[in-house]
Amino acid sequence: MNAALPIPGLQRELGRELRSASDQQLSRVVAVVDALPERGAADALIAPVRARLAQLRPDRPLRLSRVLFTPLNAVIVATVKWRPASISVPRSALDLLGKLILAQIGTLRSELETVASQRTSSDATAIQAIGDVLWPAAGRVLQELDMPGNWTEQTGLQSRVWHEIRDGAAVVLNRAVRIEEITHTPDNEELLQSLLKDRTGCNDAGFALVVRVLLVRHPRPTDLLRTLANLRHSGAATATEQAISATLDDLEPALEQIETADPTAAVGQAVQLAMMFDALDTPTRRTHITALRADAARLCQERLERTVQQGLLEPLTATSSPSSIDFPAIETTARGVRKLGAAAQRLGGQRSLERFMQLSVTAILALDSPAIDPVDRIRLLEILVGPDAALAYARAPSQP
Amino acid sequence: MIMARSFALQSPYHPTTFLERGAAVPFTTPLLAGARVRAAQRSGLELVLPNPGGGKGFYVLPWTGVQEFCALTLHDRQLQDRAAGLQSVTPSGIRQAAREIAANGYAGREARDAATRAQRQATDDQLATNYYLLLILVSQVEQSALANMQERLPQLEMRAKRAVASIAPELGLEPDFVSTLLEELAVLLQGIGVGPIAAKALLPRALGNLVALRRDLEQWTTSHNDDTSELADIIGVTADLSIGCAGKAIADVRSSTEKMSVLLSRWRTEPQALSSWVARPEWLLDGWEPICLLWSEASTVATRRAALREMIDLVPILPKEVGDWIGMAEQIEAVNVYKRFSTLNRDWRSGLPVLDLVEEGASQACALDRVARNERLRALAA
């Protein structure tokens, strides 16, 4: 493996230092690593603090290698957890595959690198715009790649799994732009059907990988499963079942995201899980789903509590000056609270939801009048409890 | 279901006049995308709404009954009330009402700031239009070129007074009344724009945005070989016709200032007819702004494809009246038929089924995002 420092003791020592570093120090270290032309060993250095980085989410320069495998995010697993035919992609394969692909896309690489160099990792639109061009090109290159001689040395994976990983990743990359479109237009069944019926270069394992990606990203998983059930091609039912099992067996990262990701991502994940559990809740899976629901509901409620407190109540009560309140940001948080509440409700956390909504409404109504414009106030109530309830609160002579 | 009780589905729908088609209303409630308001046959107003299922036909419902159809945002309730008080339904009247509501903050702070800026801009445009109408009048009376009119204000004022005094007897009016007529004409023509800053006026800018959209759609059609290429083509065909008609209508109205005495006389004697004629460009462009904004807001392939699917159901139907306006009745009919048949059975309009919006908890998430997106569009609107 090239991802190791020449002196193991030094690596351990640096790892310890990093683990005890403050958030600010850690962000600075990551910035230095990001600026290196060759990351190799430095990447290994920050490996032990990846979980903290995921929580910290420092804004990093956008790199093509980061954009390249974004469509596979939902199915990437740690190599130690990866098993053949597990409808997933081992993380250690990505670095090598990325280098091989980027080396073969010709001038496109420098063109896209120029675009990426002006953007950061939090710029979702830039990632998608670059991906529109990069993903199809990468898919074409990847599906024709021969196994490199240093495959096992670089990835720690056996040569017999090369085809499974290469083909699966290529299938998803070749369909990435359409998958993105489907997530934006979930009611377009025609588009979904055409994607699922397209078996070009796609064996059953690749198909299962596509289904798994869709399952964790499609805003209406029930519609997805219905469309899958109506597919006539052989192997579709088995692949779907495999994708569902793989998804349910590997929900730890998704649950962790509710807890640690930035509010927008956490809310998105909670809503997605709620919808997915609804779609997958069949008698045969009920016990498993019920347990997962309970876990997710608990995390949602904890996150809801934190978001209401830190994102709504604290900023609103911290000042009496209307100009110092960032209302667009607070409204975004309020939307997140409402969505998280809806997800929690769907997952079974009804009581907490009502309590937090009531807390938020009470706090907003109790704010001193100079601190908040009446229209801002009623808009916040509208976002949290809907227009009718907002009007009722606003017209009520006394606070609830 | 409420819809069955209160609303009549009318299909096929091909209005004869723009008044029958109604003016586009920038509601933020997702289910009301593409809604228009028009005067009802007897009294009051009606809402004309594209079939929420995306299929053929339109719903027509009493303006006061909109809240039975779906839960309106607070912004939309305010807008509904304000529109109900309008004496006549025109695109500019609805735009003004929407700006006032947005300026009060009901579509959020960004839209509030944008509406406040737009209101200030409208006042400036009106003053500038009045100024250039006066300059045009002076140039016509003195038979001098407009370009030579750059001089100090007191001298210009004197010449303007002389020009007004000179033309007043021809119109059979007192000079003061001519000045008043010019101010009224400035209100009427500010959206069209006159003089050297004409291109910056509201409607020429809207036309420019539509031309840019048309260009982009053409490029999309040639570079994408899928169903969205067909959608882009359909939108483009209608856009082409609107561009041609609106461009001609704007040019016609502007050319009316070439004889200011005739324009002033006509404004004095037949204000209603002149108002209707000057309003043609805004009717022709009405409804295109949200379409252009949806497109410009989408910057990636996936979001542009999604935008095209949303745009196709918002494309304004051109009433038969346009054929009389510009003498292209057959072409108008062909475009509308093309559009009607091409959009048949498309079941996606807002991306949000009715039930999800009003009943289901987790799907409120989508509705919230869509309202936020619509509010963002309000902030970008003119």
Side-chain angles (χ1 to χ4, degrees), chain B residues 145-210:
Chain B
L146 193 63
N148 296 332
M149 305 301 290
Q150 307 300 323
E151 55 184 279
R152 292 176 55 186
L153 200 57
Q155 287 167 309
L156 205 55
E157 269 182 19
M158 264 175 26
R159 290 172 64 189
K161 277 183 184 168
R162 277 204 304 270
V164 169
S166 147
I167 203 170
E170 190 185 322
L171 298 167
L173 297 169
E174 291 297 319
D176 280 354
F177 194 58
V178 174
S179 297
T180 305
L181 288 181
L182 278 170
E183 284 169 16
E184 290 170 357
L185 275 178
V187 175
L188 195 67
L189 295 173
Q190 70 175 88
I192 303 277
V194 294
I197 55 160
K200 292 181 184 168
L202 183 80
L203 294 169
R205 274 190 288 124
L207 181 61
N209 292 338
L210 186 53

Side-chain angles (χ1 to χ4, degrees), chain A residues 116-127:
Chain A
S117 66
Q118 291 145 18
R119 309 296 182 131
T120 61
S121 56
S122 62
D123 190 340
T125 307
I127 290 174

